[in-house]
Amino acid sequence: MKADIGLIGLATMGQNLALNIERNQYTIAVYNRTTERLDEFINGKGFEKNIIGCYDVENLCNTLKKPRIILLMIKAGKPVDDSISMLLPFLEPGDIIIDGGNSFFSDTIRRLKKLENKGIHYLGAGISGGEEGALKGPSIMPGGSLEAWKHVEEIFTKITAKINGDPCCSYIGSDGAGHYVKMVHNGIEYSDMQLISEIYYILKKFLNLTAYELAKIFAEWDKGDLNSYLIKITSKILLEEDPVTKNPLVDMILDSAKQKGTGKWASQEALEMGVPVPSITEAVYARNISSKREERLEASKLLTGPTPQFSGEKSILVEATRKALIAAKICSYAQGFSLLKAASDEYKWELNLSNIAQIWRNGCIIRARFLKQVKVAFQQDKDLSNLLLDSYFSDVIKTSQEDWRFVVNLAVENGIPIPALSSALSYYDSYRNPSLPANLIQAQRDYFGAHGFERVDKEQGLIYHYEKWAPLDED
Ligand code: NAP
């Protein structure tokens, strides 16, 4: 029997995607570099299923129907190049390789070009949803060869998550578009997680709430506008008890965050593109500073600050933090979608931002009720330059901003770090402000570097230089 699709890489994602594909009535051939992992899978979770274990890539390729479709679910970087090189001798023109891992988009562009020259179709498909999503239905962002997409559309549409029956997967755009969109998804994920953590910390510090009391608040929020996977898992996490100490498990976890790099890539790309994404970047920095735990412990002995105190009404602060979270979340998504818009123009991907919001509505880590409104906003105006300009979102911020400012003030006055909440507010205030202090920056640039400036009373684009800046007094 020939298999419909092959998969390389049987770690968390690969195993669960294989089971998902098989459950959807396809026969799948699987290979893993380390044989023990393959044996464990085919004799364990994959036992007595339409899953064919292959012990080398030649056998994998010979087991597949033509054109062959091979999905790589392995570590990004060199392993992907190595695996492609290993496959090539056994492939024919028309065969398809899909990289479903978190590859950097420019690697995907490079690989696609190389493979196209050999007649092999290549797709870079970002896949989100973690272990459970991979098994039950992930969100999938495929980009690259349109020809390849035509061959895999049916399988991907079946295995992906659905929202009201519609798939959370559609063709994103040419070459690296799919991996770029996944990278921005992960950037937004970083800022969503950071914002939730800052709100958790504010409530914990000011109201002295236990993890269990906090869990109730997040569970309540999940019933409303903030309904999302990350809020839901936060309420579940806060309920968990450490089996050893019987303390809330979250209180026993070291406050030192790790990262795999996709948030950093999103920030770097945004800098490259000149698109401000402070919420994403601050979320990356927040993980960086958290990981310098030894240094922080030393610094805490020397550096002083206020002790958090709040004497107001608990319910008022809880409601204010809810509104602050919604407003900051809107800004974070506004930044992410602005980056996508700029990348779409730069790389000529013609990204459909409404479809991307649709893909993210289920299956992925940032899935949220709120994305329905994002989808509508870009459906109504596909050229919308910033989500903040959509009337639904500007109205939400109008009704939330007083509370948002209150929460930011309170945290700052009391020495509680809120890099994502406060940078989102500064983003909002910068974006909405008709005048910024950049006139002084231009003057300084002209003073020391004769860089020139435009004038408020002259046509834009005309550059003036002031010849008579007063010299510095001699010391
Ligand atoms: P992973 O830990 O990122 O990678 C482990 C897999 O890669 C194993 O199958 C391993 O084979 C294989 N591998 C590593 N180096 C290799 C090489 N040089 N040649 C061939 N195979 C090699 O696994 P994962 O967490 O399942 O993720 C797979 C991909 O999906 C990654 O790109 C990841 O970033 C992305 N992703 C992960 C998640 C998640 O929640 N885990 C979510 C979305 C996307 P061996 O068993 O032989 O070591």
Side-chain angles (χ1 to χ4, degrees):
M1 185 177 48
K2 293 274 186 189
D4 300 293
I5 183 168
L7 182 144
I8 297 183
L10 287 170
T12 311
M13 293 299 282
Q15 285 198 20
N16 286 293
L17 278 171
L19 294 171
N20 182 349
I21 291 169
E22 197 272 347
R23 198 182 61 242
N24 278 287
Q25 315 299 322
Y26 294 102
T27 300
I28 180 165
V30 295
Y31 164 77
N32 192 74
R33 179 185 59 171
T34 306
T35 307
E36 290 77 47
R37 213 196 275 264
L38 173 65
D39 283 337
E40 201 183 306
F41 179 65
I42 53 176
N43 297 318
K45 286 181 183 167
F47 190 59
E48 291 195 336
K49 295 199 159 75
N50 288 322
I51 297 179
I52 306 168
C54 301
Y55 287 87
D56 56 55
V57 292
E58 180 176 7
N59 181 228
L60 179 88
C61 292
N62 289 337
T63 306
L64 296 174
K65 287 179 189 164
K66 293 181 185 177
R68 299 173 181 88
I69 303 173
I70 300 170
L71 174 60
L72 303 179
M73 286 312 301
I74 59 176
K75 261 194 186 12
K78 193 169 174 297
V80 175
D81 287 310
D82 291 349
S83 298
I84 291 172
S85 300
M86 265 171 57
L87 281 168
L88 275 177
F90 311 110
L91 297 182
E92 293 167 296
D95 288 344
I96 296 155
I97 300 177
I98 309 161
D99 174 10
N102 279 337
S103 289
F104 190 50
F105 79 100
S106 62
D107 286 339
T108 304
I109 296 175
R110 170 178 57 77
R111 289 169 187 145
L112 182 135
K113 277 191 191 137
K114 179 180 146 187
L115 289 169
E116 247 172 14
N117 289 335
K118 298 178 190 300
I120 308 292
H121 303 306
Y122 195 64
L123 275 180
I127 301 182
S128 175
E131 184 173 3
E132 197 193 349
L135 181 65
K136 296 182 180 166
S139 166
I140 312 180
M141 295 146 255
S145 157
L146 200 51
E147 184 58 30
W149 170 243
K150 285 181 199 153
H151 284 94
V152 304
E153 182 173 1
E154 185 197 289
I155 300 181
F156 274 20
T157 305
K158 282 197 178 150
I159 66 164
T160 194
K162 311 284 181 310
I163 181 95
N164 305 325
D166 293 326
C168 293
C169 169
S170 56
Y171 181 72
I172 298 283
S174 61
D175 54 56
H179 276 140
Y180 197 98
V181 169
K182 174 68 197 317
M183 175 189 77
V184 175
H185 164 283
N186 284 26
I188 294 175
E189 175 185 312
Y190 271 57
S191 61
D192 259 357
M193 291 166 76
Q194 178 63 25
L195 284 169
I196 292 171
S197 304
E198 289 176 16
I199 294 291
Y200 148 80
Y201 198 58
I202 288 171
L203 291 173
K204 179 177 157 173
K205 286 285 175 184
F206 283 129
L207 301 176
N208 289 319
L209 299 178
T210 63
Y212 307 124
E213 289 166 320
L214 288 162
K216 272 196 206 152
I217 293 174
F218 283 102
E220 198 53 40
W221 288 356
D222 189 46
K223 295 178 191 158
D225 294 344
L226 279 169
N227 166 271
S228 63
Y229 172 74
L230 284 169
I231 292 283
K232 216 184 282 298
I233 66 164
T234 301
S235 70
K236 298 280 180 211
I237 287 167
L238 291 165
L239 280 180
E240 211 64 50
E241 186 181 89
D242 174 33
V244 181
T245 62
K246 306 294 176 204
N247 290 329
L249 181 59
V250 70
D251 293 340
M252 302 307 295
I253 296 178
L254 202 71
D255 56 343
S256 176
K258 301 271 186 291
Q259 51 187 312
K260 281 192 163 175
T262 43
K264 183 180 81 178
W265 288 347
S267 296
Q268 285 171 330
E269 278 311 305
L271 275 175
E272 207 56 58
M273 206 71 78
V275 178
V277 294
S279 305
I280 296 172
T281 309
E282 287 295 349
V284 176
Y285 288 157
R287 290 196 193 190
N288 293 341
I289 202 160
S290 79
S291 70
K292 297 188 183 305
R293 190 159 180 276
E294 294 301 312
E295 214 175 308
R296 285 192 287 116
L297 291 181
E298 273 308 303
S300 69
K301 294 177 194 156
L302 177 71
L303 306 177
T304 61
T307 305
Q309 276 176 346
F310 177 71
S311 53
E313 190 68 37
K314 172 187 162 189
S315 60
I316 290 177
L317 184 59
V318 171
E319 179 57 6
T321 49
R322 187 185 70 83
K323 287 189 171 164
L325 183 51
I326 292 174
K329 184 179 164 100
I330 291 172
C331 285
S332 145
Y333 280 65
Q335 294 161 31
F337 275 91
S338 296
L339 179 55
L340 288 179
K341 194 172 185 334
S344 179
D345 295 343
E346 174 75 17
Y347 298 105
K348 316 249 177 311
W349 283 330
E350 296 178 11
L351 295 181
N352 181 326
L353 300 184
S354 181
N355 275 357
I356 291 169
Q358 161 72 15
I359 290 173
W360 290 349
R361 284 184 67 197
N362 204 358
C364 66
I365 303 298
I366 65 169
R367 62 187 183 257
R369 182 179 295 174
F370 152 106
L371 276 156
K372 181 178 179 188
Q373 233 45 62
V374 179
K375 178 188 166 177
V376 171
F378 287 111
Q379 216 164 26
Q380 286 168 350
D381 179 0
K382 71 179 178 47
D383 297 319
L384 186 68
S385 49
N386 191 301
L387 209 51
L388 292 174
L389 300 177
D390 173 77
S391 60
Y392 173 84
F393 291 109
S394 59
D395 283 351
V396 174
I397 295 211
K398 198 182 279 176
T399 56
S400 328
Q401 67 167 295
E402 202 182 318
D403 286 294
W404 188 13
R405 292 182 195 284
F406 162 69
V407 171
V408 168
N409 274 330
L410 189 69
V412 170
E413 275 173 16
N414 283 275
I416 293 185
I418 45 159
L421 266 182
S422 59
S423 66
L425 183 53
S426 286
Y427 174 82
Y428 175 73
D429 282 334
S430 299
Y431 191 67
R432 71 176 184 82
N433 224 308
S435 82
L436 292 171
N439 51 336
L440 181 58
I441 291 171
Q442 285 299 82
Q444 289 164 336
R445 293 179 72 244
D446 194 59
Y447 186 109
F448 62 70
H451 294 299
F453 49 82
E454 295 161 288
R455 292 183 56 99
V456 293
D457 53 354
K458 301 285 184 203
E459 203 181 313
Q460 238 186 306
L462 297 177
I463 306 296
Y464 298 84
H465 166 56
Y466 188 59
E467 300 281 354
K468 299 178 185 165
W469 292 116
L472 285 188
D473 299 331
E474 291 297 328
D475 287 332

